[in-house]
Amino acid sequence: MRLPSEKFGLSVEHIMPQTITPWWQEHLGESWREVHEIKLHSLGNLTLTGYNSELSNGDFSSKRALFLQSPVHITRSIVK
């Protein structure tokens, strides 16, 4: 049985990526390790997208452009 998200080509995307980059470290501040660990798999850091491979570990500004194109309302609303 296929999950509804698979039917529409959607997957769960971490807004702040699982593999932290220097950009994210800088923007999370000195305690970036703790913030990353606590927030990584929280509901507020997850969304649905059909662009998972394109988004990858990108910074928020590059992810924002693709979030705006999403057919999923919750994903578009992240950038507001």
Side-chain angles (χ1 to χ4, degrees):
M1 178 174 104
R2 286 177 27 164
L3 298 173
S5 61
E6 294 171 336
K7 177 180 177 184
F8 297 105
L10 299 174
S11 60
V12 174
E13 167 67 15
H14 288 81
I15 299 163
M16 173 182 57
Q18 295 182 77
T19 303
I20 203 82
T21 63
W23 186 92
W24 284 98
Q25 289 175 16
E26 178 183 339
H27 286 80
L28 294 175
E30 286 184 24
S31 59
W32 68 266
R33 285 184 180 87
E34 294 83 20
V35 173
H36 186 252
E37 183 178 330
I38 292 167
K39 303 290 186 181
L40 181 61
H41 299 298
S42 69
L43 187 57
N45 189 48
L46 303 174
T47 193
L48 290 174
T49 181
Y51 310 108
N52 203 310
S53 61
E54 291 93 332
L55 294 166
S56 187
N57 294 331
D59 58 47
F60 187 75
S61 57
S62 62
K63 288 185 170 197
R64 183 180 188 276
L66 288 174
F67 289 160
L68 283 170
Q69 298 174 30
S70 176
V72 181
H73 175 73
I74 193 168
T75 302
R76 285 192 315 271
S77 70
I78 289 169
V79 298
K80 295 180 181 175

